[in-house]
Amino acid sequence: EKAREKKVDFLFYDDYIAGEITRESILKRELRLAIDNENIDAIHLKYQPIFSLKKKKIIAFEALARMKSKFYGEVSPVEFINIAEKNQLIFPLTNLILKKAFYFSNLITKANSTEIRVSVNISGIDLMQDNFIEMINNNLVLTGASPQNIKLEITESVLLNNFNLLNNKLEKLRKNKIKIALDDFGTGYSSFYHLDELSLDLIKIDRYFLNKISKSQQDNMVIASIIEMIHRLGLEVVAEGVETKAQLDYLLSNNCDLIQGYYISRPVNKEEALALLKKDWSGLY
Ligand code: C2E
Ligand code: MG
Ligand code: MG
Ligand code: MG
């Protein structure tokens, strides 16, 4: 324990004498330590249920990475994932996250049902690596998790270039029964151009769309049309960021397949996730 502390301080001392102590440099060091030494529990996962409106039950959990910094406490994934991406740490970090998520998949499969998937967010940089599929397969072998219990979430921006190369990878993963979701649909780089050629199973509508429900009829029509379009593509729709009963009711009446958001549950730890699987949802709607 003491020796490890020393090592941490020594590493920061390097930055200190170079006059380069910044929040980013410290978080970068901490990430590297967490990746190299899994006993340093700086990275852990929370799990948020994804709820089927048709089946009225939880059918998946999204794994969401959390970082507890020695110096800054809880750090948002938006910040530390970005730092990892900028410093060649994202691939080994994703490897660690996949392993943890796959072990969690085994846990819930054993405790509950084989029909539940665990969804892992994948950075565009990961998908670009030649050995990306190898990393997935290695973790399946290592953990014994089943591809039928795994889902990967990707964002569209990376697909704009290298479309064929990356789409082939998605196809390969799907042939092996892993599901692929397109995350944050409707934000940033979204384009409808390649949507019908992409090898996908689901599309997740970004939560910013949900803010608008019950405020303006125009926006409601936009969401309804997006749901319809996704269905026409033969894909399932997940609405992200469902926080209110009004939003849930709207999505129900517009045929949305799956919802995720604080109205069902915030991201929770393993034990709480297992408890959520036993919860009775019959009174929800
Ligand atoms: P995302 O993949 O779109 O994840 C959904 C985010 O929305 C999560 O934020 C979740 O906590 C939040 N959320 C869920 N329901 C609600 C709701 O009802 N209301 C509101 N206001 N927020 C809700 P989080 O955990 O802070 O993650 C932010 C983003 O960081 C993720 O967006 C994802 O892009 C990235 N991220 C998180 N974990 C990982 C990871 O393991 N790997 C990678 N590459 N990225 C990750
Ligand atoms: Mg996601
Ligand atoms: Mg999202
Ligand atoms: Mg995202």
Side-chain angles (χ1 to χ4, degrees), residues 53-239:
L53 291 177
K54 312 263 149 67
K55 295 181 179 162
K56 231 179 188 178
K57 65 174 196 177
I58 293 168
I59 54 103
F61 285 93
E62 178 174 6
L64 293 159
R66 298 287 177 259
M67 178 179 189
K68 203 161 160 38
S69 159
K70 234 181 112 186
F71 296 88
Y72 303 111
E74 282 282 335
V75 180
S76 158
V78 177
E79 181 177 14
F80 72 79
I81 294 290
N82 185 257
I83 291 173
E85 287 177 339
K86 280 176 24 194
N87 292 282
Q88 286 85 48
L89 291 171
I90 189 67
F91 198 69
L93 179 61
T94 301
N95 187 48
L96 176 66
I97 290 167
L98 284 166
K99 185 163 70 175
K100 287 176 188 273
F102 288 8
Y103 278 126
F104 173 71
S105 162
N106 289 346
L107 185 79
I108 50 171
T109 313
K110 233 177 258 153
N112 191 265
S113 148
T114 53
E115 285 161 42
I116 292 184
R117 287 191 190 248
V118 176
S119 200
V120 183
N121 289 284
I122 299 297
S123 160
I125 296 169
D126 297 326
L127 200 58
M128 289 289 294
Q129 303 302 307
D130 288 339
N131 51 348
F132 174 70
I133 291 188
E134 202 184 316
M135 170 167 73
I136 300 288
N137 290 337
N138 287 345
N139 280 300
L140 288 173
V141 171
L142 175 75
T143 60
S146 160
Q148 295 180 53
N149 296 125
I150 303 301
K151 182 159 58 178
L152 302 177
E153 301 192 5
I154 57 155
T155 47
E156 210 180 0
S157 55
V158 64
L159 292 158
L160 291 180
N161 311 301
N162 312 298
F163 182 86
N164 288 326
L165 176 78
L166 299 184
N167 205 32
N168 284 342
K169 290 192 191 184
L170 300 184
E171 218 158 84
K172 253 189 212 144
L173 292 162
R174 293 183 65 229
K175 278 206 180 106
N176 190 27
K177 305 268 174 56
I178 289 175
K179 280 197 181 181
I180 305 290
L182 184 64
D183 204 355
D184 304 337
F185 185 74
T187 61
Y189 296 92
S190 259
S191 103
F192 295 77
Y193 183 58
H194 276 309
L195 217 48
D196 56 346
E197 293 165 50
L198 253 180
S199 195
L200 291 179
D201 298 284
L202 308 96
I203 293 183
K204 302 185 78 171
I205 306 176
D206 196 82
R207 72 184 158 87
Y208 288 103
F209 280 101
L210 271 279
N211 290 336
K212 315 265 176 151
I213 288 180
S214 78
K215 282 189 194 152
S216 125
Q217 201 51 44
Q218 280 291 314
D219 287 312
N220 289 3
M221 270 162 57
V222 171
I223 299 168
S225 311
I226 290 176
I227 293 173
E228 198 184 310
M229 179 202 66
I230 294 172
H231 282 155
R232 284 206 192 182
L233 290 166
L235 306 173
E236 284 189 293
V237 190
V238 189

Side-chain angles (χ1 to χ4, degrees), residues 46-51 58 60-62 64 241-243 259-269 272-273 275-277 279 281 284:
K46 290 248 168 143
Y47 303 95
Q48 187 178 35
I50 299 172
F51 188 89
I58 293 168
F61 285 93
E62 178 174 6
L64 293 159
V242 178
E243 292 182 357
I259 61 169
Q260 181 178 352
Y262 297 166
Y263 195 73
I264 298 295
S265 167
R266 289 184 176 257
V268 295
N269 68 28
E272 293 166 313
L276 280 173
L277 285 171
K279 189 169 159 175
W281 300 95
L284 193 66

